[in-house]
Amino acid sequence: MKDLRPLLEQARQDHLYRRPRVLESPQQPEVVVDGQAMLSFTSNDYLGLAADARVAEAFRKGIDRWGSGSGAAHLVTGHSRAHQQLEEELAAFTGRERALLFSSGYMANLAVITALLGRGDTVIEDRLDHASLVDAARLSGARLLRFVHGDLDAAERQLSKASGEKLLAVDGVFSMDGDLADLPALAELCRQQDTWLMVDDAHGLGVLGASGRGSLEHWDLGNEQTPVLMGTLGKAFGTAGAFVAGSGALIETLIQQARTYIFTTALPAAVAEATRCSLQILQEESWRRTRLQELVAQFWEGAASLGFELPPSSTPIQPLIAGSSEKALEWSGLLAEQGVLVTAIRPPTVPPGSARLRITFSASHTDAHLQCLLSAMERLPR
């Protein structure tokens, strides 16, 4: 039996060892982590709905109505009226024929690619796509071709090599860099090559677009140009789970063939009820998206005045590139000493040599919170 201890020790020596922090408060800008009061800039709760009182009340009412667990997979007895209503509301929100709920974005991505493609087919992906898209391609048995991040010429070259059924999968907003995929150009390439375009909009939905409909609204793209949309509910929506939206034929195919749908217990119905509430808030309170834009603009101005050069990102995800894992950990530790929580992101989450602080904003952050962050950043060695 393999001795695992040397691998763990090597991870420590390479500054790649990880441990979970213990959160002792609701998910909000001011938190208690491992017993210490901190100002958090490390959550994906972009709209500040994870601890919203209205969403929590909908959750409580959902538990009173449905209990704490779904008890079974969707295709057994786990699909409640609350699940059905949420799917219908998500379909309407995204402008699609149907939507299908999953327990996580990871499982949703696995579902789509493994159900639509197999041996003899081809998946094309951006090098910085989320790990779940990469794993889905590998598990499908299809050939996986990847292209340099954001390089449209490279994407076209890979498409020209593809055979069988073809699917190009891409993040709408890249989770560690915060930049946007050029979806109009990719959609045109896919049209020319008779290729599915799948958009993982986990970090775009709720954040981008006047109505919060995400990357597709931002680029004004229709259903025919982007036939497969995946969105998660644990970020801007403030709850948990994920969904795939598309044509009736696509959703019915996933119901019949996607193993991560067929063989997984459904999310608790109470989560569906809470998400129905957050979906309504997300659409009605556009000020939350406006506030995010204000925070990002103020942060860019403040970071520039301190001499930091930031990669191009207009989203709440703002990477501060340190380079080495050791330096990223040092920066994160120095911020923590000042009461500011920002996670150090290291390989394999990001490519070697690009370890960073991943600073994320929430609509709940105040100007005072932002000033605390900038004041702490001023003390970082460069």
Side-chain angles (χ1 to χ4, degrees), residues 8 16 26 32 35 42 59 83 98 158 166 188 198 202 249 253 265 313 318 326 329:
L8 295 173
L16 297 177
V32 177
T42 195
F59 205 158
H83 292 110
R98 292 179 65 183
Q158 296 294 52
K166 297 171 287 186
E188 178 58 21
M198 175 183 181
T253 297
T265 299
S313 169
Q318 295 294 319
E326 183 177 11
L329 286 172

Side-chain angles (χ1 to χ4, degrees), residues 356-374:
R356 67 198 60 188
L357 299 185
R358 181 181 182 267
I359 297 168
T360 53
F361 291 102
S362 166
S364 298
H365 281 121
T366 66
D367 289 350
H369 292 152
L370 175 58
Q371 189 54 53
C372 286
L373 169 65
L374 291 169

